[in-house]
Amino acid sequence: MTWAMVFFGAAVLVAFTPGANNLLGLHHGMTQGVWKGLAGLLGRLAAFTVLIAAVAAGLGQLLAASELALTVIKWAGVAYLVWIGGRLLWSTFRAERTALVQMSRNSESLPAPRIARKEFVVAITNPKAILIFTAFVPQFIDAAHGSFPTQIAILGAIYLLAEFLAGATYVGVGALVRSLRLSRRATRNVDRGTGVVLLGMAGALAASNS
């Protein structure tokens, strides 16, 4: 029990760290509302579940050890962050009558599956997420607590809980801001800021050595 609680505390700290997925959760909460923001969070958790399963199956270590695989994933993540950040930023400069601007303001405009897919792709192409499950989680493996796959499954489930709490908090904060009924100008500024930060994250990822 102490083993699990220690890991949970560490996982919460990691999960609450600001990143691309948490930023998207915050933005979706602000622009799409709680339920669609939580739909996006489910997409993120689905991606992490895939990574946990890969590590439990032994594929995670091979992936982490493959410089080529990590490089491909890294640049796929960079490209996707540039795409969604650039698209969001560009939408703020379009005329108000265009569909993209309306999508950024209308809580009914983006279907939940699309939001979930967006967070899934961001999470699955983030090499930092891969390192969480291939480097961070295995540090808590203890032979006294069972087989490697079993412990990975248990720790993975605990991490998913921590990620859910963090993601739901970001979505909730975004929804709280949404309830303040921001003006159109303020909404454009929020979208513009989100786009700029996502592009900045893409640049930071591109410049990283991982």
Side-chain angles (χ1 to χ4, degrees), residues 1-12 15 45 52 133 136-137 140 150-166:
M1 182 62 68
T2 301
W3 163 73
M5 292 302 295
V6 170
F7 175 74
F8 178 71
V12 167
L45 296 180
I52 292 168
F133 298 109
F136 170 69
V137 174
F140 293 85
T150 299
Q151 290 190 65
I152 285 294
I154 293 173
L155 294 176
I158 293 174
Y159 185 84
L160 289 179
L161 174 60
E163 191 69 31
F164 174 80
L165 293 175

Side-chain angles (χ1 to χ4, degrees), residues 68-93:
L68 176 60
L70 284 179
T71 299
V72 171
I73 292 172
K74 165 185 170 177
W75 287 105
V78 169
Y80 194 67
L81 285 176
V82 169
W83 185 77
I84 59 176
R87 185 170 181 266
L88 183 59
L89 185 61
W90 173 247
S91 73
T92 66
F93 293 101

Side-chain angles (χ1 to χ4, degrees), residues 34-57:
V34 171
W35 296 113
K36 289 188 177 182
L38 291 177
L41 176 57
L42 290 179
R44 182 196 320 183
L45 296 180
F48 286 165
T49 299
V50 170
L51 294 176
I52 292 168
V55 173

Side-chain angles (χ1 to χ4, degrees), residues 74-75 78 128 199-210:
K74 165 185 170 177
W75 287 105
V78 169
K128 302 299 183 183
L199 290 176
M201 288 182 174
L205 179 58
S208 68
N209 293 324
S210 60

